[in-house]
Amino acid sequence: MLVDDKRAGLTAYRDREDRRVFFHTETDPAYAGRGLASILVEQALNDVRAAGMRIVPVCPYVAKFLKKHTEFADITDPVTPEVLQWLEGRLAR
């Protein structure tokens, strides 16, 4: 996410077949308190829906967001040990 051409935040993911596995979200402290993380995650999840994919919320922030925004429940899959092992392998590369 850019604010005035400066990176204000990001949400990181890896795609596994038709699932987008979100594993990290952060915002720059200089932009804290503006609700940018929520905007960023909502846009990312809308992109997942538009792409016909599903969400796997490994990232604690994304998981917390999804508890409040049940409109994404229909495209959300649980985090499983298999997904965590796969993600660990992907991130180790």
Side-chain angles (χ1 to χ4, degrees):
M1 170 178 271
L2 299 176
V3 174
D4 298 327
D5 294 325
K6 295 180 183 173
R7 190 174 91 178
L10 65 91
T11 188
Y13 63 86
R14 294 290 185 275
D15 287 341
R16 182 180 191 212
E17 300 168 1
D18 68 336
R19 290 171 177 79
R20 184 150 290 167
V21 181
F22 289 90
F23 64 89
H24 181 72
T25 301
E26 67 181 64
T27 54
D28 185 303
Y31 298 96
R34 298 185 189 183
L36 295 179
S38 181
I39 294 167
L40 174 64
V41 168
E42 183 173 20
Q43 284 296 319
L45 300 183
N46 282 326
D47 287 347
V48 172
R49 185 183 297 282
M53 298 180 74
R54 299 187 61 76
I55 301 160
V56 181
V58 174
C59 169
Y61 186 86
V62 174
K64 179 180 170 184
F65 181 92
L66 287 168
K67 285 182 181 177
K68 293 180 181 178
H69 296 270
T70 58
E71 66 269 25
F72 294 103
D74 63 316
I75 60 167
T76 301
D77 289 340
V79 177
T80 63
E82 178 189 12
V83 168
L84 294 174
Q85 183 178 18
W86 171 86
L87 181 60
E88 184 178 314
R90 288 289 175 180
L91 296 179
R93 292 182 182 180

